[in-house]
Amino acid sequence: MSARKLKIGCAGLGRMGKRHALNFLQRTPRADLVAVSTPDDSELEWAKANLAPYGVTAYKNYEDMLKHEGLEAVVVASATAVHAEQAIKAIEAGKNVLCEKPLSTSVEISQTVLDAAAKKPELKVMCGFSRRFDASYRDAFNKMSAGGIGAPAVMRSQTCDKLDPTGFFVAYAEFSGGIFVDCSIHDIDLALWFFGQDSKVKSVSAVGITAVEPDLRKHNDRDNAVGLVEFHNGKIAYFYASRMMAAGQEDTTEIIGTKGKLAVNTQPALNLVNIFDENGVRREIPQHYYDRFEYAFVTEANEFTACCLENTPVPLKLEGAVQAVRIGAALQESLITGEKIFFDEDGQRLPKARL
């Protein structure tokens, strides 16, 4: 008798949705991708060609997919604007949920997902912060936890995208929540992971520029930004986000402790090949986020599936996803207003600085 597989559906078949669908179809042995949904006709055609031959049913309507016979879990990989809505509908339908980051661009809406999940504690509901599943970050976390660098005190982390000359990020900025919520959300989650999931933010401040895309200002966004977060436990985090890296994707992190530091990917490389030619010595680096974290997404899919089948806790708390949006949204506000924002030890925003 073959082992039972988790019957899963995927909502959204854009760039990220396609990757999730194929990962669950081809690279997650304990999962059975049975359904997908998308309102986009071109994406439905892609599903017809790439998924239907393997018995996957494609739906134009998300609610119809939720009614698919035997469906047990849903991956929400659609547009950020509908993440929360679709996650809540799946939870209310009794489905386990893996939701792409962020839960929402709004703290209040993100909280509604947490509230819905609290009413169905038997379900596994997880926000997919991919770096938590990356082998290098896990190794760094384990070394820190073993005391290798003493007590962690400072984090420097960045998410820097390859320059896209098409202007995609200008249009995307209308819906993304801004560079801190879209890009730095990964780094914020890392800070909450390495400093402790219950770390409470004390203050945030941010500055930014539009070096290559001045039209981003129409959407209160920037193409380069720096944020500083102070926590009540005495730790600080420095975040850099950029949309204009010429060579490719540069996602790096340093965790600085009282007895040393850990550095992850500070010299990005696509592989172990160095090129020696008339231009000197160089190496190629990943061109996009997925190039760097492809196997992290595969690990995420397999571990989420195992949690659902074995009824074990998910690797990260859903509360952390709300906290990450709270910090990211505050950084974005500080970026626009130029004001430093303060929080009390309960996480409530203070009207002004306490002197």
Side-chain angles (χ1 to χ4, degrees):
M1 181 181 295
S2 60
R4 187 175 83 80
K5 292 188 175 184
L6 181 73
K7 295 187 180 299
I8 195 163
C10 183
L13 290 176
R15 182 169 56 183
M16 188 56 70
K18 289 183 176 71
R19 292 165 176 166
H20 277 293
L22 292 175
N23 279 341
F24 278 100
L25 178 68
Q26 301 171 349
R27 307 168 82 175
T28 312
R30 300 182 69 186
D32 184 11
L33 183 71
V34 296
V36 294
S37 72
T38 173
D40 186 281
D41 289 335
S42 63
E43 293 175 4
L44 287 171
E45 286 300 312
W46 180 88
K48 182 178 179 181
N50 294 277
L51 304 178
Y54 300 96
V56 180
T57 303
Y59 295 90
K60 195 175 182 70
N61 184 278
Y62 175 69
E63 286 77 8
D64 290 340
M65 186 190 76
L66 290 180
K67 298 174 184 176
H68 186 94
E69 185 177 358
L71 186 72
E72 299 171 276
V74 173
V75 181
V76 176
S78 44
T80 300
V82 296
H83 279 183
E85 175 188 347
Q86 292 190 337
I88 291 171
K89 286 182 178 179
I91 293 167
E92 291 176 343
K95 314 302 180 187
N96 301 290
V97 176
L98 169 58
C99 182
E100 255 302 322
K101 66 81 191 170
L103 293 177
S104 168
T105 59
S106 158
V107 178
E108 292 75 19
I109 296 176
S110 298
Q111 182 65 42
T112 63
V113 180
L114 182 60
D115 294 341
K119 296 176 182 178
K120 296 286 187 77
E122 72 278 9
L123 298 178
K124 307 301 176 184
V125 183
M126 186 176 86
C127 187
F129 285 107
S130 49
R131 293 186 202 180
R132 297 237 189 175
F133 301 90
D134 176 69
S136 295
Y137 277 106
R138 285 186 165 184
D139 185 45
F141 180 81
N142 290 335
K143 285 179 167 58
M144 181 204 71
S145 299
I149 60 169
V154 179
M155 173 179 281
R156 288 197 297 241
S157 195
Q158 69 178 46
T159 298
C160 296
D161 293 333
K162 180 178 173 62
L163 176 66
D164 183 345
T166 66
F168 164 78
F169 286 118
V170 175
Y172 181 54
E174 184 177 356
F175 312 102
S176 70
I179 196 167
F180 283 114
V181 175
D182 182 51
C183 286
S184 295
I185 200 82
H186 287 291
D187 307 285
I188 294 166
D189 178 66
L190 287 176
L192 294 173
W193 186 25
F194 280 81
F195 288 166
Q197 193 67 63
D198 296 326
S199 297
K200 301 295 185 182
V201 62
K202 181 178 181 180
S203 72
V204 305
S205 57
V207 294
I209 59 173
T210 48
V212 294
E213 292 286 2
D215 285 346
L216 282 168
R217 289 180 177 269
K218 295 187 300 185
H219 303 298
N220 283 333
D221 205 8
R222 307 290 188 265
D223 52 33
N224 284 265
V226 171
L228 185 64
V229 178
E230 180 185 16
F231 292 92
H232 277 286
N233 57 13
K235 305 179 192 303
I236 57 174
Y238 166 101
F239 303 127
Y240 171 45
S242 176
R243 303 287 200 189
M244 68 171 202
M245 293 296 104
Q249 191 78 21
E250 294 186 37
D251 301 326
T252 67
T253 302
E254 291 178 284
I255 306 97
I256 302 163
T258 55
K259 296 182 179 179
K261 78 172 183 178
L262 296 162
V264 181
N265 200 42
T266 51
Q267 295 183 327
L270 183 64
N271 51 39
L272 299 179
V273 176
N274 284 333
I275 303 165
F276 297 74
D277 58 18
E278 68 275 11
N279 297 310
V281 182
R282 69 186 193 280
R283 59 180 173 273
E284 296 176 331
I285 71 173
Q287 294 299 288
H288 303 287
Y289 188 86
Y290 193 73
D291 294 341
R292 165 66 179 87
F293 292 104
E294 176 183 355
Y295 293 100
F297 282 98
V298 175
T299 302
E300 176 185 86
N302 279 272
E303 292 192 8
F304 174 74
T305 298
C307 289
C308 294
L309 291 173
E310 299 168 11
N311 193 27
T312 55
V314 293
L316 57 155
K317 294 180 179 179
L318 196 61
E319 291 87 345
V322 179
Q323 173 79 327
V325 174
R326 178 176 290 109
I327 295 172
L331 282 167
Q332 195 71 22
E333 180 181 341
S334 177
L335 172 70
I336 302 309
T337 65
E339 299 291 329
K340 191 173 185 177
I341 299 172
F342 293 82
F343 297 83
D344 65 22
E345 293 186 17
D346 294 323
Q348 299 301 311
R349 184 165 167 169
L350 295 171
K352 60 181 179 180
R354 290 184 299 183
L355 300 178

